[in-house]
Amino acid sequence: MSESRDSAAGDSRAAIPEPSDSTSGKRGSGSRGSGGRGSGGRGSGDDAAFRMSRRAWTVLLSGVLVAVFGLVGALVRVPYVSLGPGPTYDTLGGSNDGPVVQVDGKETFPTDGELRMTTVSLADEMTLFGALGVWVSGRYALAPREEYFKPGATDEQVKQENVQQFQDSQSNAQVAALRKLGFPVKVLAREVVSGSPADSVLEAGDRLLEVNGRPVASDQDVTAAVAGTRPGETVSLTFQHEGQPERTESITLAQREDGRPEGFIGLQAIDRADVPFDVKFTLEDVGGPSAGLIFALALFDRLTPGELAGGNHIAGTGEITEKGEVGAIGGISFKVVAAKEAGATAFLVPERNCAEAVSAAPDGLKLIKVATLDGAVTAIEDLKAGRPTPAC
């Protein structure tokens, strides 16, 4: 018996089972011999090859995914814009084209200090990676693109709208400042609705003298003149076209589309300065309406003796109407930061922006609440004299 075992053992060692024996399901001593992890079955070489193949595919797939994510992050645009502190401009100083506020044909006076307008930087066509960078920066913010770009509007249309708003802010600032200084204003036809009653006799830019027999001294007089009228009534318009003799024409009022009972004339009026000198603002590549207040203050300072700012470094923002009313604006949280970084020590804040300004203002920047041009001038004079100023 012992010989039989020895012989069997010897045979087993002498004839190592082939791979077919392993795969046939036999679990004899041969299948667990040296061939189990050696040259037979899935030996060490085959296992290594299998592991190498799986590892290579894993690495390759990971690389592809990383590359795809990188391309998506770098190329795919997201529907957001980036907002942050923008450039600031001292309106008592100069630009590449000379003084920011130029007055020709009228005596001007020296100024001292700064009246600095502030802006918000806006970056469009944000990529996914760019948006993530903005989000974690803490200095910039993301906002839905549709809040700043009308759906369907081209870049050129958006640019033209911003330029028009900026030009309107300059015109309003000029009228507000000159009106405060006692200069006369004139009323012009800003827009004439195509096909309206006024379209038959007026053109944009015509000077309005009387409407419905009432003298016109401001744009509000035009609205008041047709109050209480009804469609179908006849009213008179007295106007002047490009320096020609004044004319009086009669028109028949139409029905309003908004349902109000008053007759529809189809005219939008606007106040403009009526002075024998020229005012020009030289800043370019700036858009939006929020520079109006600072432009008005700068023009007022140049046309009055004494130095309004009195050596102080003042910044600010705010829309302004022809009547000198200061309106709220957007992005003030970025503007107060830009002002402080530019060296301003005081900031003029539209009354309705006070809460947001207080939450974002850097240390050392004095916030002054304003609601009108008159109030802003008084606050700056109080600041110069060391008196208390309206605070947010």
Side-chain angles (χ1 to χ4, degrees):
M1 292 293 295
S2 63
E3 290 180 358
S4 174
R5 288 195 187 95
D6 291 341
S7 174
D11 291 341
S12 175
R13 287 192 296 271
I16 300 174
E18 296 294 330
S20 58
D21 295 330
S22 284
T23 57
S24 66
K26 296 179 181 179
R27 299 175 63 91
S29 60
S31 65
R32 286 190 173 273
S34 59
R37 293 187 178 272
S39 59
R42 278 176 51 179
S44 60
D46 290 340
D47 285 347
F50 178 77
R51 288 194 299 271
M52 287 288 290
S53 175
R54 184 169 58 184
R55 186 180 299 113
W57 278 107
T58 300
V59 171
L60 178 61
L61 181 58
S62 299
V64 170
L65 291 176
V66 169
V68 169
F69 181 72
L71 289 173
V72 170
L75 300 178
V76 173
R77 300 292 189 263
V78 294
Y80 290 89
V81 296
S82 168
L83 304 174
T88 66
Y89 305 91
D90 178 20
T91 56
L92 298 181
S95 68
N96 293 333
D97 298 320
V100 172
V101 180
Q102 296 181 358
V103 180
D104 296 325
K106 173 69 176 173
E107 181 185 10
T108 58
F109 299 91
T111 61
D112 185 30
E114 292 183 352
L115 289 172
R116 187 169 289 277
M117 61 169 284
T118 53
T119 67
V120 175
S121 69
L122 186 151
D124 189 21
E125 298 187 350
M126 296 292 296
T127 64
L128 178 59
F129 284 167
L132 289 173
V134 167
W135 183 65
V136 302
S137 70
R139 180 177 174 84
Y140 298 88
L142 293 173
R145 189 179 189 275
E146 62 186 14
E147 293 183 6
Y148 297 88
F149 296 86
K150 294 179 180 178
T154 65
D155 290 346
E156 184 62 26
Q157 289 172 329
V158 172
K159 181 179 179 181
Q160 289 176 352
E161 182 180 358
N162 284 332
V163 170
Q164 185 62 56
Q165 289 178 341
F166 191 60
Q167 291 173 348
D168 288 346
S169 75
Q170 295 172 347
S171 298
N172 291 350
Q174 179 179 347
V175 174
L178 295 180
R179 178 175 262 147
K180 178 173 175 55
L181 290 169
F183 290 100
V185 299
K186 56 187 176 183
V187 183
L188 304 180
R190 177 178 184 176
E191 182 180 354
V192 179
V193 178
S194 177
S196 69
D199 190 33
S200 62
V201 296
L202 288 178
E203 295 182 19
D206 286 351
R207 182 171 183 173
L208 304 176
L209 302 173
E210 290 185 0
V211 175
N212 201 20
R214 300 183 183 184
V216 173
S218 75
D219 57 356
Q220 294 176 339
D221 292 335
V222 176
T223 303
V226 295
T229 61
R230 294 295 181 266
E233 292 184 13
T234 299
V235 299
S236 62
L237 294 178
T238 302
F239 60 95
Q240 196 172 24
H241 177 69
E242 294 183 351
Q244 297 178 6
E246 64 181 60
R247 296 166 48 194
T248 299
E249 300 285 348
S250 295
I251 61 173
T252 301
L253 299 179
Q255 184 79 37
R256 301 184 65 92
E257 293 183 356
D258 58 11
R260 288 189 291 169
E262 292 88 354
F264 178 63
I265 193 171
L267 166 67
Q268 182 182 3
I270 191 169
D271 295 345
R272 287 294 177 256
D274 187 18
V275 292
F277 54 88
D278 295 324
V279 177
K280 181 181 179 182
F281 301 91
T282 62
L283 281 181
E284 297 181 356
D285 299 324
V286 180
S290 63
L293 171 62
I294 296 298
F295 278 144
L297 289 168
L299 179 57
F300 178 86
D301 197 2
R302 286 202 174 277
L303 291 176
T304 52
E307 299 158 344
L308 178 63
N312 290 306
H313 289 217
I314 302 168
T317 187
E319 289 191 51
I320 198 165
T321 68
E322 303 101 321
K323 309 298 187 297
E325 300 158 335
V326 178
I329 49 80
I332 197 165
S333 60
F334 304 111
K335 292 182 177 182
V336 292
V337 172
K340 179 62 176 177
E341 292 177 350
T345 56
F347 193 98
L348 303 176
V349 182
E351 187 174 24
R352 286 184 290 162
N353 287 122
C354 266
E356 183 182 358
V358 168
S359 66
D363 292 339
L365 185 66
K366 183 182 183 69
L367 301 182
I368 301 175
K369 178 174 63 177
V370 296
T372 64
L373 176 60
D374 287 345
V377 171
T378 299
I380 293 174
E381 291 173 341
D382 288 342
L383 179 69
K384 179 172 60 175
R387 296 188 292 264
T389 57
C392 282

